[in-house]
Amino acid sequence: MFDLEKIVRQNIKRLTPYSSARSEYSGAAQIFLDANENSFGSPLERDYNRYPDPLQTEIKKIIAARQSVSTNEIFVGNGSDEAIDLLFRIFCEPKRDNVLICPPTYGMYAVSAEINDVEIKRARLTDDFRLDFAAIKKAIDANTKLIFICSPNNPTGNSLDRFQILELLKEFDGIVAVDEAYIHFSNEKSFVSEINNHPNLIVLQTFSKAWGMAGLRVGLAFADRETIELFNRVKPPYNLSQIAQEAVLRALGNQAAVEETIDEIIKEREKLIEKLKDLSFVEKIYPSDANFVLVKTTNADAIYKFLVGEKIVVRNRNNVELCAGCLRVTVGTPPENERFFQSLKNYEKQ
Ligand SMILES: Cc1ncc(COP(=O)(O)O)c(C=O)c1O
């Protein structure tokens, strides 16, 4: 049985969180002399001299209404990378606990584990990029605190089986973090609607992909309120800048534009796949539920180098397990995709 109390690190349980000036007073004062801000303003066209809302209340209200969750079931972070790091800091005792990842997958899970001095266990995906349940069960031990499931998965592009993930949530006594960075490009249902059924579920989403705001660094985690409370206790007090908060609020008012861009990206993805199929050096294009495609070629290193010479950069995944010969290509704008394709034609001709 999952028991949050049992899996949180002792030092986090004992922690008295930092109490910021803005969280101690949130009324309508006229003069703020409480936070050692600069009352004279900023050397900019507008002022940023005040600390931002530590809990991003306005953003959470809108997201809560759209995703049918409560505001206290949402964490807003400095990218979902912040949420990934917080998972380690909240749940994993360095040098003792371990986490499970299912490679090939997003690289930051392993990097965050290493930074936090936490052992990584690996249960490789099957050859057709599905979860290997037997391998997962074999890898888990009493000190396994987290399992990262990336769906749609980076770099393979496919969604992982929903029923297998639900099974894992039922059987595993630790946290299952389902990373949905690319969910908006997929027809699969998000796991956000499952957070009330599974206290050990954490769903990660981001404004960096479908929302087109990677430069602002805004990510989300959805989970049971007790888990979100832990995130709030451990995060830096003002983890999301005023500029980022204001921009997200404006973007949330423009959801229709985001839906349009998603449709366009999906159309371009399918067009790109059709075109790449005809190239002689392309061995396989993996189906994608994301804004990128994984392409298996006869010589990934040579193609990568050729493209760099053409001032086009893709991600060379040749040395990643199960991805020999593969390039991961982000879907660009129509002119970008056309230039990319023409460059590949030139490579084919030489
Ligand atoms: C699967 C996955 N999760 C998370 C991230 C990081 O997202 P963010 O920009 O919100 O930190 C990425 C970025 O590429 C990703 O591929």
Side-chain angles (χ1 to χ4, degrees):
M1 265 289 279
F2 176 75
D3 180 355
L4 187 65
E5 269 294 298
K6 249 177 32 198
I7 72 158
V8 178
R9 287 172 67 193
Q10 293 302 322
N11 61 320
I12 301 300
K13 275 195 218 165
R14 288 191 302 265
L15 179 73
T16 306
Y18 178 72
S19 176
S20 65
R22 279 308 101 84
S23 52
E24 280 182 14
Y25 180 83
S26 58
Q30 289 177 345
I31 298 179
F32 285 96
L33 304 176
D34 59 342
N36 295 348
E37 295 153 335
N38 185 330
S39 300
F40 291 76
S42 321
L44 292 167
E45 64 287 348
R46 56 155 296 189
D47 286 334
Y48 292 102
N49 55 326
R50 299 296 173 192
Y51 282 108
D53 175 2
L55 290 173
Q56 306 94 19
T57 319
E58 293 307 311
I59 293 175
K60 285 179 184 170
K61 274 188 205 159
I62 297 174
I63 293 174
R66 291 199 192 161
Q67 301 257 24
S68 305
V69 296
S70 307
T71 50
N72 51 14
E73 293 170 327
I74 306 171
F75 163 77
V76 187
N78 186 15
S80 39
D81 284 343
E82 183 184 19
I84 293 168
D85 180 61
L86 284 172
L87 284 173
F88 285 94
R89 294 202 278 148
I90 294 167
F91 295 111
C92 299
E93 202 60 62
K95 297 191 195 311
R96 190 196 72 188
D97 292 336
N98 65 70
V99 300
L100 182 93
I101 63 171
C102 303
T105 194
Y106 180 47
M108 273 310 285
Y109 312 139
V111 172
S112 269
E114 290 196 17
I115 290 169
N116 287 287
D117 207 0
V118 169
E119 187 196 348
I120 306 155
K121 292 189 177 273
R122 293 178 167 83
R124 213 166 71 170
L125 295 177
T126 60
D127 290 346
D128 56 352
F129 300 149
R130 292 163 57 82
L131 289 175
D132 184 339
F133 231 65
I136 290 175
K137 281 193 181 156
K138 207 167 139 201
I140 293 171
D141 64 24
N143 292 327
T144 308
K145 290 291 188 70
L146 300 170
I147 299 179
F148 284 96
I149 301 290
C150 186
S151 182
N153 187 38
N154 174 7
T156 58
N158 61 307
S159 298
L160 299 175
D161 187 279
R162 185 175 187 87
F163 294 101
Q164 277 194 320
I165 299 172
L166 288 170
E167 195 70 15
L168 209 55
L169 282 161
K170 269 190 250 151
E171 287 190 18
F172 180 54
D173 288 342
I175 297 280
V176 178
V178 179
D179 188 340
E180 295 188 335
Y182 300 98
I183 189 73
H184 307 93
F185 304 105
S186 146
N187 289 326
E188 294 285 323
K189 199 166 158 228
S190 163
F191 271 82
V192 170
S193 58
E194 292 289 335
I195 57 169
N196 293 129
N197 300 332
H198 302 279
N200 58 339
L201 169 63
I202 290 177
V203 182
L204 304 175
Q205 290 190 358
T206 179
F207 281 90
S208 298
K209 312 294 176 184
W211 284 83
M213 302 196 290
L216 287 174
R217 311 304 304 125
V218 187
L220 301 171
F222 299 88
D224 183 87
R225 62 197 63 194
E226 283 182 54
T227 306
I228 294 300
E229 182 51 33
L230 290 165
F231 274 78
N232 291 338
R233 284 160 62 88
V234 177
K235 78 179 184 72
Y238 304 109
N239 60 327
L240 206 69
S241 76
Q242 183 69 27
I243 293 184
Q245 295 197 34
E246 286 170 4
V248 166
L249 281 173
R250 272 188 281 130
L252 286 168
N254 206 2
Q255 172 119 17
V258 178
E259 302 297 340
E260 245 174 66
T261 311
I262 293 169
D263 286 349
E264 230 178 302
I265 290 172
I266 293 172
K267 266 189 221 138
E268 279 303 308
R269 179 184 75 199
E270 298 312 308
K271 267 200 248 169
L272 187 63
I273 291 173
E274 277 312 303
K275 281 187 155 176
L276 295 177
K277 270 183 189 162
D278 293 335
L279 296 167
S280 58
F281 54 84
V282 169
E283 290 184 342
K284 185 169 183 167
I285 304 164
Y286 292 94
S288 172
D289 272 348
N291 65 340
F292 59 83
V293 281
L294 188 70
V295 186
K296 188 170 166 64
T297 67
T298 50
N299 192 342
D301 290 345
I303 300 164
Y304 177 81
K305 234 170 117 186
F306 181 86
L307 287 171
V308 168
E310 300 268 302
K311 305 231 175 309
I312 296 173
V313 58
V314 297
R315 198 89 150 116
N316 187 355
R317 300 285 79 183
N318 190 32
N319 294 324
V320 170
E321 51 196 316
L322 297 181
C323 295
C326 288
L327 299 172
R328 192 195 68 193
V329 183
T330 307
V331 177
T333 62
E336 286 171 343
N337 297 336
E338 185 52 34
R339 227 190 97 199
F340 168 63
F341 180 69
Q342 287 310 323
S343 294
L344 291 179
K345 289 291 266 183
N346 293 339
Y347 172 83
E348 194 177 40
K349 273 190 231 141
Q350 49 159 25

